[in-house]
Amino acid sequence: MSNQNFQGAASRPDIEDLQGDNEWTQLARKHWLGGHAKPKKVKNDVVNGVWDTLKSEEFQYRSLLILESLQLLESYLWPGYAESSTNHHVLLIALLATVKARENLPLWAIFQEDADKFSSFFRRVLSMSLDNSIATPIRTNILSFLICAFQSLDNGLIRKECAPLVSISLWQNLATDKSRERKFEQHAQLKKVWRGAAKKYDAADQETQVKLRFDRAWLYTLLLDFLGQIQNADSESVIYCERILELLTDLESQLPTRRYVNTLIKDLNVLPLAKLSPMFNDSDNGLFRDLFVLLRHYVHFPIDDHTGAQYTEAESSEEHSANLARLQRLALKQFKEKLTILALSNYAAIDKREELEAHLGPLNDDELESLASSLGFRTKYPPTVGIVIDRQVIMEILLSAFEYRRTYREVVKHLSVLPTEASLYEPTLLRNEQYNGSRSLAIPRLNLQYLSVGDFLWRSFVLFRCEAFFEIRRDMEETVKRLEPRASQLPNQVHFGGFSRMAIPISKPAIIEQAPPKVGQDKPAFIRAEIALDVSRLADYVRREWESLRQDDVVYLLAVHPVDRSRELTNGHVAHASSRDFGIHLLRAAEVEQVLDEDGRTLRGAQEEELNGFGRRPRLRRMLVKLDAATFKNDSARKSQGKPDVYESINVIIRRKGRENNFKRILETIRSLASSDIPAPSWLQEVFLGYGDPTGASYTKMTNSLDQIDFRDTFLDWRHLVESLPKKVVEPSAPQETTMKPPTMKPPYILRGLAASSMEPSKTSKKRRRDEDETSQPPSKSIRVSTYQPPNNGPYPTDSPRSNRVRFTPAQVEAIISGTQPGLTVIVGPPGTGKTDVATQIINNIYHDFPSQRTLLVAHSNQALNQLFQKITRLDIDERHLLRLGHGEEDLGRGLGAFSFGEKPHAPCLRLFQLAAESNANFCVILETDVSYSKHGRVESFLDNRGVYLAEVDRLAADLGAPGAHGNSCETAGYFNAVYVEPAWSKFWSQATMENASTSDITAAFPFNNYFANAPQPLFPETASRDQVVEIVRGCQRHINRIFTELEDIRPFELLRTSRDKANYLLVKEARIIAMTSTHAAMRRQEISDLGFQYDNVIMEEAAQITEIENFIPLALQNPKDGQLPLQRVVLCGDHLQNSPIVQNLAFRQFANLEQSLFLRFVRLGVPTITLDHQGRARPSIAELYRWRYPELKNLPNVLTETEYLRANAGFRHEYQFIDVPDYKGSGESQPTPHFIQNLGEAEYAVAIYQYMRLLGYPAPKISILTTYAGQRALIRDVLGHRCAKNRLFGLPRIVTTVDKYQGEQNDYIILSLVRTTRVGYLRDNRRLTVALSRARLGLYILGRRAIFETCYELQEAFANLFQRSNSLLLTTGEMFPTKRSLGNEADATEMTGVEHLGQYVFEMTKAKIESLKTGGKPLPAVEETEEVMKMDEEDEGEGQVDPVVEDDEERDIDAV
């Protein structure tokens, strides 16, 4: 059996393989498919026949995929498993489970129902993993299954089986008892644990003792087998040993599995023996060596294995010194004559490998072995292992134990963040690109748990750097390919026969300045170069793109030579691919400083020569760049050795799209964090790392949880309050606090007893429970409520506070309460459940209840952040405290400013208008704002307000008769307030508070009657009581005080001179709610923290779509105070059942788990979540299509009662339907270019449905066309461009895009194209399908191939409702939009038999429509203004249409982020 063949990237099964008459499908129909009521009893001859066939095929992966798709595991093997099952039965289960894991499919759910049965199976697998009679490749795949198990310790079923294998009982296998005793001396608690394990063994029966002995010997035996296998170098043993290294790395990289395993690995000298092995020293085994390096990193990671405390650099140095001191003491004691120099040397003189080896050289073999034994190292192994302990082995054991090793911080500091051709084509990176699951990879994983925050940051840095370099290499190769480099007739010249807008041929860069090194450094401070760009042949828009490069943008300088066509590669890389195979001989990165015109002047706006579009064409641009100083130093050193100057051969400059080219700043941010000792917030640290109580960061466990909170406008009335707290007793506070009866109590409400009522009894030890008072009572469930009269803020309508109008559900209220409290809140928001409204209300509560605190808002996309930010502006939050950072900040100011309530916005605003109106799940309100919330926009707003308020000061001065220019500045206004206004108030209140002062006396004494003459009159109603008049006066005073308060806040902007200083002051001092994307936070972290920016709360939207490192960086945008981050709240809003972060490379996505978000990891760890359970987006029937993913999801009243939800869709019998699209013109899916998947039949069908809807009167902005592949998106846009774009009857839909890009958005009617006709593709991932099915509000029409999706086990629940209806589109006649037909009234329908039928039907309707318009004398309607749907996304603006590689060989067409 060949392991390569088993895991090879063979062609994947298609519909013929799953529904044809091949051997596998016939076997499946006979024995487990075909609607059997009960699973048939497993027949050994069937199992053996499957095994023998697979074995004869050398376990081809294609056959395994067919069997997995035919549900062999779920429907036959596992239901029929018993303790008496054959080994082949067990091996097939493990084999198919591994296939599921490799395909990223749910694995453990089928085993959950019978824990005893799974335990029996798992024990069988463990035994087989140690059975040397089983072929090595089969044992390799058993190891793959066990690796999957150890990566799933969040599953209780798996944890129960795996935990005993890595318990303290492992230490029975240590070389000597002294080794164990030394560990007990370091941690006294370990001895207690050891004794407990011994008592458990002694008390067990004989059968249990056998099990316990196996548990403690399993890993020890596996390691001994590994040490024996590495003495060979055959290919099967190499792959087997690579898997063992992968398993050991996984065990070492998580504290619960590391605690006792690390001691055993060190005791067995695994690393020294592996380093000396023939397998390690075989030049062909580079992956084995890389895996060894990764394991060594974790074995020696600076952490206490038992407490989990990470060592500081000083503590690591102390531990290293203590080890050297122990060596010196023993050397002096036992070998004084030979090792005196070693014993008396300073530590720095003996911790280098060469020096230490020289010091130990005088010892003979026996003395060296004696020294090693005295130091506690193992020098004896069982004879069966075949390890020869000679001088070389013992020397390596000693050297590896006492040599100095660089810490991960030092390693990270020395890794360059800018690529060269050498770093882009490192063998490790190329292996990542070739990953198909057949071999391990030497890259760190993002696990369920981390050893420390530093460990997490190190992993993130390595993975992000690898992914960034992968993307850069792909872009460089694609661009060079487009340039078509060819040999020139001139010597040493290259002719470029092609073109790319991302590249310009250049002559060599001119080095114009080289700064001397800074103090303490050996590289130049900077290297400045000038590059001449010939732009004379570029189109204007391409030239402007080059001119718009900003400071610090990274460009790439390449030496490109013609490609040797004899070695040209297609569809990937060979194992030893190099940059020269693609024509890239050299690559250097540089950072842009400035782009100048040909005369060396700065480019500013439109150039004089091209004003109004006329003038001479620019010919030359000069670009000043900074070269990477470290690389330049190395290049200079090579040049000094007589090698060619690399910069002489550079002939091309390449740029990348801005969104994809921000890697350098992000890498520098991660490196800065990894090099520091920045912690997570102390209350979040253990939960973040994955240890301890997963509920420990929830407010119910926080010592500073609040017992009383003012919820202001969260609750609309008393009934809403009571309904929102169904498990609590809601009662008014003590009678002396309020005399109101509960039903008449109006908001705002102050709730007391929150901390006590929400506290759940925590699990305690048996001893503690025995010691507790028997009479202790459970915490009270009573919530006491009081209210108050909101203060009068002034007589003007603008003084009235804006209030929330959403009637929050109980689950939403629970989330709001938790988010307002200190601690961690994780909110799961299924589609349409209003998680944005919840986040907005949390922000509102924090803003008012904690006026000294600042809140940071983070989202994955500008779209989501802008939606959240605009909803905030509807609430009672002062706009001067809002700030939006990043490139999306401009959208807020220009999005909704040109229309008022009830008016239609102008075209550029339309989409934002629609999103704002539709995104609220509970009600629909048009947003209105004409304010810019960017830094400079806010500064301008402050200065604009300054003029308004100073004018008010002049009015006050006139009213009081105060001479002087009091409204000249904020300073003079402050003096005026102190000298005139405050004394006037004092005088008034001294009169108004007199006991005999009447209402008329108070109004007569009021000193600002003239000032408030423009307020709604009368200011003091005649019927007002004395108390009411006093309250009106207090409102007037608050209004005036607010003027001077805001002027005092504006005053620094008068004093600060530069725009930068003003903007930074705004960020650091003035803004209280700051919004930015996760990418902006990652790019600007150092800059923001250096300003002294401080904040108290973080709220993340789309948290499940953000990579884990981008989740973490917003928590660390500020510098620690007293060694701690001063965060009080972290609120994560998202949905882990929808799309995860999109990672392009298969290796990083599946092997390294880079698509893991912090949100998902918290859910897996068991952190308490609050799931919103009422949706208000879609018709109940459409919501039913994805309710199988959200069993508790219910409907809000609006979708049950509002007219639009009760009416049928005009012209359609059904509100949703799956339409089976057969082959069109003899073909289904196609790939016009590799990995660019299209389906012309579905594209034509989608456009025909759109045309049909438009002819019936459906508004174009209410229709979106979605597809699962970018190739299909391009095809649909092309068809729309030909059929609809210039036809005023149709126009264009709101948007045509992919499902991945449409997450977080919605529309009334969705037309969805699934594209695939040969296999399911990536839709087998339920998360993407959930997104696809949940975008529609009123109508969903899905185009696909039924035969493909009904055979997929994972999708059966999703398509169950869809397949209950006809496969053909059913249309009703005689209806126009909107129809009065109710949803339940299914009218007579016409069946469309195919795309040709529908096309002809639409054609006839179009003719009739035009004739009707002509006979009626009416002009054709104007095309509705919708979003410019045909304008390509920024990601598609390149010359070609092929999407980046993001899936395996068949799935490379998904949109990339």
Side-chain angles (χ1 to χ4, degrees):
M1 171 180 171
S2 170
N3 192 74
Q4 285 97 328
N5 288 341
F6 163 71
Q7 300 282 9
S11 60
R12 304 178 71 83
D14 56 24
I15 190 64
E16 285 298 318
D17 296 309
L18 303 180
Q19 296 187 351
D21 290 325
N22 60 66
E23 177 185 5
W24 297 126
T25 55
Q26 292 177 13
L27 190 69
R29 293 190 192 109
K30 181 177 179 180
H31 292 286
W32 64 85
L33 294 182
H36 299 294
K38 293 183 179 179
K40 287 189 174 182
K41 184 177 179 180
V42 172
K43 297 179 180 180
N44 289 338
D45 59 335
V46 174
V47 172
N48 292 334
V50 172
W51 179 265
D52 291 340
T53 305
L54 289 172
K55 187 176 180 180
S56 66
E57 298 176 347
E58 294 187 322
F59 292 84
Q60 288 186 7
Y61 191 61
R62 189 171 189 274
S63 294
L64 288 168
L65 280 175
I66 293 173
L67 290 172
E68 190 280 322
S69 298
L70 291 173
Q71 305 171 31
L72 173 61
L73 176 61
E74 300 91 337
S75 301
Y76 191 68
L77 292 177
W78 181 245
Y81 171 79
E83 291 190 9
S84 59
S85 296
T86 64
N87 283 349
H88 288 166
H89 192 159
V90 175
L91 288 171
L92 280 174
I93 292 176
L95 210 59
L96 289 174
T98 305
V99 171
K100 276 188 171 292
R102 176 174 163 182
E103 293 297 302
N104 207 24
L105 298 172
L107 172 57
W108 305 114
I110 62 172
F111 302 116
Q112 290 291 140
E113 294 182 359
D114 195 335
D116 293 336
K117 182 177 172 181
F118 178 78
S119 180
S120 167
F121 161 73
F122 197 80
R123 308 297 295 183
R124 294 276 299 272
V125 173
L126 289 174
S127 298
M128 290 180 180
S129 69
L130 303 178
D131 188 350
N132 288 321
S133 65
I134 297 177
T136 300
I138 298 177
R139 292 178 65 197
T140 301
N141 293 302
I142 292 174
L143 276 177
S144 297
F145 173 80
L146 295 175
I147 289 170
C148 294
F150 276 102
Q151 290 173 358
S152 305
L153 295 179
D154 55 311
N155 187 303
L157 183 72
I158 308 303
R159 187 169 57 250
K160 180 182 176 183
E161 301 301 326
C162 292
L165 303 175
V166 292
S167 69
I168 198 172
S169 299
L170 282 176
W171 287 4
Q172 288 280 4
N173 304 295
L174 297 184
T176 63
D177 292 340
K178 289 183 178 179
S179 300
R180 192 164 50 246
E181 291 299 325
R182 278 197 294 269
K183 290 293 180 182
F184 294 159
E185 291 172 3
Q186 294 173 3
H187 297 282
Q189 184 68 19
L190 292 176
K191 195 164 189 177
K192 182 178 179 181
V193 178
W194 174 259
R195 289 172 179 169
K199 288 180 181 179
K200 179 180 179 181
Y201 178 83
D202 295 337
D205 56 36
Q206 187 173 358
E207 182 181 353
T208 306
Q209 286 184 344
V210 171
K211 178 181 179 298
L212 293 174
R213 285 197 297 271
F214 177 85
D215 288 343
R216 72 193 186 195
W218 176 77
L219 184 59
Y220 173 73
T221 308
L222 190 69
L223 288 173
L224 290 180
D225 180 62
F226 168 75
L227 295 177
Q229 292 271 4
I230 59 178
Q231 307 308 315
N232 305 316
D234 61 275
S235 59
E236 291 182 349
S237 295
V238 169
I239 296 174
Y240 172 77
C241 292
E242 288 170 354
R243 287 294 183 190
I244 288 187
L245 288 178
E246 179 187 347
L247 173 62
L248 295 179
T249 301
D250 282 347
L251 297 178
E252 287 278 1
S253 62
Q254 299 187 89
L255 190 60
T257 53
R258 172 192 178 91
R259 279 197 173 98
Y260 310 113
V261 169
N262 195 38
T263 301
L264 179 63
I265 289 176
K266 289 181 177 179
D267 179 79
L268 286 170
N269 303 313
V270 170
L271 293 178
L273 293 173
K275 187 174 182 179
L276 295 176
S277 68
M279 188 176 291
F280 182 92
N281 291 284
D282 188 327
S283 60
D284 292 333
N285 297 333
L287 176 57
F288 181 87
R289 286 189 292 274
D290 290 342
L291 286 165
F292 168 87
V293 172
L294 184 60
L295 175 61
R296 183 177 62 189
H297 163 84
Y298 279 113
V299 168
H300 298 298
F301 193 84
I303 191 175
D304 188 305
D305 293 340
H306 305 287
T307 65
Q310 180 176 326
Y311 298 142
T312 64
E313 291 195 13
E315 290 170 335
S316 297
S317 178
E318 289 176 6
E319 184 185 32
H320 176 62
S321 300
N323 287 334
L324 290 175
R326 186 164 69 94
L327 171 64
Q328 288 180 318
R329 288 194 299 269
L330 198 58
L332 190 61
K333 179 179 179 180
Q334 295 188 2
F335 307 102
K336 183 175 181 180
E337 294 181 0
K338 294 184 177 182
L339 300 182
T340 301
I341 297 178
L342 183 149
L344 299 179
S345 298
N346 63 64
Y347 298 147
I350 61 173
D351 68 353
K352 306 293 187 298
R353 173 174 282 265
E354 297 79 9
E355 296 169 349
L356 184 56
E357 186 174 10
H359 283 298
L360 296 175
L363 298 180
N364 60 38
D365 294 355
D366 292 337
E367 290 171 335
L368 197 63
E369 182 176 353
S370 174
L371 176 63
S373 299
S374 299
L375 287 167
F377 296 108
R378 182 190 290 264
T379 57
K380 305 293 182 183
Y381 291 85
T384 55
V385 179
I387 298 176
V388 178
I389 303 297
D390 55 16
R391 180 182 182 85
Q392 183 184 15
V393 171
I394 295 177
M395 182 66 77
E396 179 60 34
I397 291 172
L398 292 172
L399 294 179
S400 62
F402 294 106
E403 68 177 336
Y404 173 78
R405 286 177 294 272
R406 290 195 304 173
T407 66
Y408 73 91
R409 297 184 183 91
E410 294 174 295
V411 172
V412 166
K413 286 178 182 177
H414 288 88
L415 280 175
S416 173
V417 297
L418 290 174
T420 64
E421 79 285 351
S423 60
L424 288 183
Y425 287 87
E426 288 179 357
T428 301
L429 291 182
L430 294 182
R431 279 196 295 268
N432 297 339
E433 186 168 345
Q434 300 152 14
Y435 175 75
N436 59 20
S438 63
R439 302 281 289 270
S440 299
L441 288 178
I443 54 177
R445 278 192 174 104
L446 298 185
N447 290 339
L448 191 65
Q449 300 166 320
Y450 302 111
L451 300 179
S452 66
V453 173
D455 172 41
F456 161 71
L457 292 169
W458 175 81
R459 299 189 207 194
S460 299
F461 179 83
V462 171
L463 292 175
F464 193 93
R465 180 176 181 268
C466 288
E467 190 197 20
F469 283 14
F470 157 75
E471 294 173 0
I472 293 170
R473 182 174 68 250
R474 182 199 61 206
D475 289 348
M476 297 300 108
E477 292 170 1
E478 179 65 23
T479 303
V480 170
K481 181 180 178 181
R482 291 181 182 280
L483 288 174
E484 300 178 14
R486 302 169 186 171
S488 174
Q489 296 179 352
L490 299 175
N492 300 322
Q493 295 291 319
V494 178
H495 171 70
F496 296 99
F499 170 77
S500 171
R501 62 191 285 188
M502 310 305 289
I504 297 178
I506 60 172
S507 59
K508 66 176 183 179
I511 309 299
I512 60 176
E513 187 176 3
Q514 178 175 342
K518 295 180 179 179
V519 176
Q521 295 185 353
D522 58 354
K523 63 181 181 181
F526 63 84
I527 305 294
R528 183 174 288 115
E530 183 180 88
I531 302 170
L533 305 180
D534 181 1
V535 297
S536 59
R537 298 182 180 182
L538 298 182
D540 288 342
Y541 75 99
V542 176
R543 173 176 52 79
R544 283 192 290 269
E545 289 176 357
W546 282 94
E547 292 173 348
S548 63
L549 288 173
R550 295 175 295 180
Q551 186 176 4
D552 297 331
D553 281 350
V554 178
V555 293
Y556 306 88
L557 310 178
L558 283 72
V560 176
H561 291 192
V563 178
D564 183 358
R565 297 297 174 184
S566 64
R567 299 188 60 192
E568 188 175 19
L569 301 174
T570 58
N571 192 25
H573 300 277
V574 296
H576 301 289
S578 71
S579 61
R580 293 175 182 251
D581 294 323
F582 302 92
I584 303 173
H585 283 231
L586 288 167
L587 183 146
R588 295 293 181 265
E591 295 178 79
V592 175
E593 278 198 334
Q594 204 171 12
V595 181
L596 309 173
D597 65 13
E598 53 193 288
D599 298 321
R601 297 175 300 184
T602 303
L603 295 175
R604 297 184 183 277
Q607 302 301 300
E608 294 179 3
E609 62 266 23
E610 56 174 328
L611 290 176
N612 300 320
F614 297 98
R616 67 183 183 87
R617 176 184 290 272
R619 301 183 57 83
L620 186 69
R621 293 289 181 256
R622 300 183 184 278
M623 181 183 293
L624 298 182
V625 299
K626 288 189 300 184
L627 302 177
D628 182 34
T631 305
F632 183 84
K633 177 196 170 190
N634 295 334
D635 292 336
S636 300
R638 282 191 289 268
K639 181 180 178 182
S640 65
Q641 296 170 3
K643 295 182 180 180
D645 183 356
V646 299
Y647 299 97
E648 293 285 341
S649 60
I650 287 174
N651 56 3
V652 172
I653 182 172
I654 296 178
R655 63 184 174 90
R656 298 173 71 218
K657 298 169 187 172
R659 186 179 300 180
E660 302 167 357
N661 206 35
N662 52 27
F663 72 97
K664 180 178 180 289
R665 285 186 174 182
I666 297 176
L667 279 174
E668 288 176 337
T669 293
I670 303 173
R671 181 167 65 182
S672 172
L673 291 171
S675 301
S676 65
D677 288 319
I678 193 164
S682 57
W683 53 270
L684 187 61
Q685 178 94 356
E686 288 192 358
V687 174
F688 177 82
L689 295 178
Y691 308 130
D693 182 5
T695 69
S698 301
Y699 82 93
T700 56
K701 298 293 182 69
M702 299 283 287
T703 57
N704 62 337
S705 63
L706 304 171
D707 190 60
Q708 172 179 311
I709 297 177
D710 181 357
F711 283 95
R712 298 177 58 82
D713 56 357
T714 302
F715 305 103
L716 303 187
D717 50 47
W718 180 265
R719 181 179 177 183
H720 181 209
L721 172 62
V722 174
E723 291 174 348
S724 300
L725 302 170
K727 298 181 181 180
K728 308 291 190 297
V729 176
V730 181
E731 56 188 15
S733 296
Q736 60 268 26
E737 295 186 23
T738 177
T739 59
M740 300 184 196
K741 296 180 181 179
T744 63
M745 289 180 65
K746 296 182 180 180
Y749 297 125
I750 298 175
L751 272 57
R752 295 182 175 86
L754 292 173
S757 65
S758 299
M759 280 281 194
E760 297 295 338
S762 59
K763 293 182 179 179
T764 55
S765 66
K766 293 181 179 179
K767 181 177 185 300
R768 183 171 296 180
R769 288 199 296 268
R770 286 197 301 267
D771 294 341
E772 285 178 350
D773 185 0
E774 297 276 344
T775 62
S776 60
Q777 299 295 322
S780 169
K781 299 291 183 181
S782 175
I783 296 291
R784 298 180 303 280
V785 183
S786 62
T787 186
Y788 61 91
Q789 180 65 40
N792 186 324
N793 289 322
Y796 298 96
T798 54
D799 292 326
S800 300
R802 290 163 290 184
S803 299
N804 162 59
R805 289 181 284 168
V806 179
R807 196 173 189 87
F808 292 113
T809 66
Q812 289 175 318
V813 168
E814 182 184 359
I816 292 169
I817 292 175
S818 179
T820 308
Q821 290 271 15
L824 172 66
T825 300
V826 180
I827 303 171
V828 179
T833 52
K835 60 180 179 292
T836 304
D837 293 312
V838 171
T840 304
Q841 191 61 34
I842 291 173
I843 295 165
N844 188 44
N845 289 348
I846 294 173
Y847 175 84
H848 289 286
D849 290 347
F850 309 98
S852 62
Q853 294 186 9
R854 313 177 80 203
T855 301
L856 179 66
L857 308 185
V858 179
H860 170 63
S861 65
N862 283 309
Q863 172 75 15
L865 197 57
N866 290 344
Q867 289 181 18
L868 175 64
F869 212 60
Q870 289 173 45
K871 285 194 173 185
I872 293 173
T873 62
R874 284 206 310 262
L875 299 177
D876 189 29
I877 294 178
D878 196 329
E879 67 178 34
R880 65 197 174 101
H881 293 142
L882 301 176
L883 179 62
R884 171 74 169 85
L885 301 180
H887 298 308
E889 61 197 14
E890 298 88 354
D891 298 341
L892 286 166
R894 62 173 181 247
L896 301 171
F899 61 94
S900 59
F901 284 86
E903 296 179 348
K904 179 179 177 180
H906 51 82
C909 302
L910 183 60
R911 182 183 177 202
L912 197 54
F913 168 86
Q914 294 161 344
L915 289 173
E918 296 167 359
S919 59
N920 190 332
N922 294 349
F923 64 93
C924 177
V925 175
I926 297 174
L927 301 179
E928 179 185 23
T929 177
D930 55 359
V931 180
S932 171
Y933 293 98
S934 67
K935 283 194 293 187
H936 297 293
R938 298 310 305 132
V939 171
E940 291 174 3
S941 175
F942 268 88
L943 297 178
D944 290 342
N945 290 341
R946 171 182 176 273
V948 174
Y949 290 132
L950 290 178
E952 293 299 299
V953 170
D954 285 334
R955 285 185 58 226
L956 279 169
D959 188 18
L960 295 177
H966 301 292
N968 270 3
S969 67
C970 297
E971 183 179 12
T972 59
Y975 292 142
F976 169 71
N977 183 43
V979 175
Y980 290 96
V981 178
E982 289 180 359
W985 281 118
S986 299
K987 180 180 179 181
F988 166 77
W989 286 116
S990 65
Q991 299 177 15
T993 54
M994 297 176 61
E995 293 184 3
N996 58 352
S998 64
T999 300
S1000 58
D1001 294 335
I1002 295 174
T1003 57
F1006 184 62
F1008 300 102
N1009 279 301
N1010 292 335
Y1011 175 77
F1012 288 105
N1014 60 353
Q1017 299 296 323
L1019 184 62
F1020 301 106
E1022 294 181 0
T1023 58
S1025 66
R1026 184 179 186 276
D1027 291 340
Q1028 290 173 333
V1029 169
V1030 170
E1031 185 59 26
I1032 292 172
V1033 172
R1034 292 191 185 279
C1036 294
Q1037 185 173 12
R1038 292 187 185 98
H1039 178 89
I1040 292 175
N1041 289 345
R1042 189 160 56 250
I1043 293 173
F1044 293 103
T1045 300
E1046 297 215 13
L1047 283 172
E1048 187 62 29
D1049 291 340
I1050 295 170
R1051 185 177 177 186
F1053 296 95
E1054 286 186 338
L1055 304 177
L1056 296 170
R1057 293 303 176 192
T1058 67
S1059 298
R1060 183 183 184 86
D1061 289 341
K1062 293 176 181 178
N1064 290 340
Y1065 178 85
L1066 178 70
L1067 171 64
V1068 175
K1069 296 294 185 183
E1070 190 63 33
R1072 288 178 51 196
I1073 299 174
I1074 302 97
M1076 66 183 73
T1077 62
S1078 56
T1079 301
H1080 185 82
M1083 292 174 60
R1084 302 289 183 179
R1085 188 263 165 191
Q1086 192 65 46
E1087 178 182 331
I1088 292 174
S1089 63
D1090 287 347
L1091 291 173
F1093 176 58
Q1094 296 288 324
Y1095 54 99
D1096 307 275
N1097 315 294
V1098 174
I1099 297 177
M1100 291 191 198
E1101 262 279 31
E1102 297 179 324
Q1105 289 182 265
I1106 303 175
T1107 59
E1108 194 160 6
I1109 184 61
E1110 290 182 307
N1111 283 131
F1112 177 80
I1113 290 175
L1115 307 182
L1117 283 183
Q1118 57 187 328
N1119 295 320
K1121 289 182 178 179
D1122 302 323
Q1124 298 291 335
L1125 290 176
L1127 279 181
Q1128 298 192 32
R1129 294 172 185 81
V1130 174
V1131 181
L1132 304 180
C1133 305
D1135 184 5
H1136 59 291
L1137 299 181
Q1138 297 187 60
N1139 279 349
S1140 61
I1142 297 178
V1143 178
Q1144 300 179 30
N1145 185 283
L1146 183 67
F1148 303 133
R1149 184 173 65 255
Q1150 289 191 3
F1151 183 88
N1153 205 20
L1154 190 56
E1155 69 172 359
Q1156 173 175 275
S1157 65
L1158 182 63
F1159 188 96
L1160 174 60
R1161 189 164 68 87
F1162 278 168
V1163 172
R1164 291 182 62 198
L1165 285 168
V1167 171
T1169 61
I1170 301 170
T1171 302
L1172 308 184
D1173 55 6
H1174 283 74
Q1175 72 89 23
R1177 170 188 294 172
R1179 297 183 193 269
S1181 56
I1182 293 179
E1184 196 66 34
L1185 298 177
Y1186 50 89
R1187 185 170 280 114
W1188 63 279
R1189 292 286 274 169
Y1190 309 98
E1192 303 300 322
L1193 188 62
K1194 305 177 185 66
N1195 298 303
L1196 285 169
N1198 68 305
V1199 300
L1200 300 174
T1201 59
E1202 292 181 6
T1203 303
E1204 64 176 348
Y1205 293 102
L1206 300 178
R1207 285 179 177 170
N1209 292 341
F1212 295 92
R1213 166 174 277 191
H1214 301 298
E1215 73 280 17
Y1216 68 84
Q1217 196 174 358
F1218 182 93
I1219 302 153
D1220 193 15
V1221 182
D1223 286 353
Y1224 179 64
K1225 295 183 179 180
S1227 65
E1229 69 175 70
S1230 62
Q1231 295 190 52
T1233 57
H1235 322 307
F1236 197 63
I1237 303 174
Q1238 297 181 331
N1239 185 322
L1240 181 58
E1242 290 188 17
E1244 293 282 5
Y1245 215 130
V1247 173
I1249 293 176
Y1250 169 72
Q1251 290 177 303
Y1252 173 72
M1253 297 176 73
R1254 292 290 291 127
L1255 290 171
L1256 294 183
Y1258 285 84
K1262 291 183 176 293
I1263 306 171
S1264 294
I1265 302 179
L1266 306 184
T1267 179
T1268 50
Y1269 290 92
Q1272 184 74 347
R1273 173 188 61 191
L1275 181 59
I1276 293 173
R1277 287 174 170 175
D1278 189 47
V1279 175
L1280 281 168
H1282 284 85
R1283 301 274 171 82
C1284 303
K1286 298 180 180 180
N1287 190 324
R1288 285 181 286 171
L1289 282 176
F1290 304 119
L1292 296 174
R1294 173 179 171 183
I1295 194 169
V1296 178
T1297 189
T1298 58
V1299 170
D1300 285 351
K1301 288 190 173 298
Y1302 209 61
Q1303 180 167 344
E1305 300 192 43
Q1306 62 186 28
N1307 207 351
D1308 286 1
Y1309 306 97
I1310 298 293
I1311 303 170
L1312 173 63
S1313 171
L1314 300 182
V1315 186
R1316 304 309 300 266
T1317 60
T1318 60
R1319 58 185 65 93
V1320 174
Y1322 78 82
L1323 270 185
R1324 202 172 180 186
D1325 183 345
N1326 283 324
R1327 295 174 298 181
R1328 282 194 171 95
L1329 186 61
T1330 302
V1331 176
L1333 296 177
S1334 59
R1335 300 305 96 197
R1337 296 179 63 243
L1338 304 176
L1340 175 63
Y1341 301 97
I1342 304 173
L1343 308 172
R1345 185 67 58 88
R1346 174 168 180 164
I1348 293 296
F1349 297 99
E1350 68 181 354
T1351 59
C1352 182
Y1353 175 77
E1354 288 76 19
L1355 303 182
Q1356 288 178 356
E1357 290 182 279
F1359 284 91
N1361 289 338
L1362 288 167
F1363 290 159
Q1364 290 177 8
R1365 294 181 172 177
S1366 170
N1367 293 337
S1368 300
L1369 180 62
L1370 299 179
L1371 304 181
T1372 59
T1373 59
E1375 290 184 327
M1376 294 294 290
F1377 177 87
T1379 183
K1380 295 183 179 180
R1381 176 168 58 94
S1382 63
L1383 185 61
N1385 181 12
E1386 294 186 352
D1388 294 337
T1390 301
E1391 179 179 344
M1392 296 292 107
T1393 57
V1395 62
E1396 296 90 346
H1397 187 185
L1398 179 61
Q1400 183 63 32
Y1401 191 81
V1402 170
F1403 175 71
E1404 297 294 339
M1405 286 183 64
T1406 305
K1407 285 175 55 179
K1409 181 78 170 179
I1410 294 175
E1411 289 298 324
S1412 173
L1413 291 171
K1414 287 181 178 179
T1415 57
K1418 296 180 180 179
L1420 289 174
V1423 177
E1424 293 190 43
E1425 292 187 31
T1426 64
E1427 183 183 11
E1428 296 178 74
V1429 65
M1430 302 306 290
K1431 181 184 290 185
M1432 287 183 165
D1433 297 332
E1434 183 178 342
E1435 290 84 355
D1436 307 320
E1437 289 179 353
E1439 302 86 347
Q1441 293 288 313
V1442 181
D1443 280 298
V1445 177
V1446 298
E1447 286 281 356
D1448 56 20
D1449 286 341
E1450 61 124 7
E1451 305 294 356
R1452 300 188 176 188
D1453 191 47
I1454 307 171
D1455 267 319
V1457 171

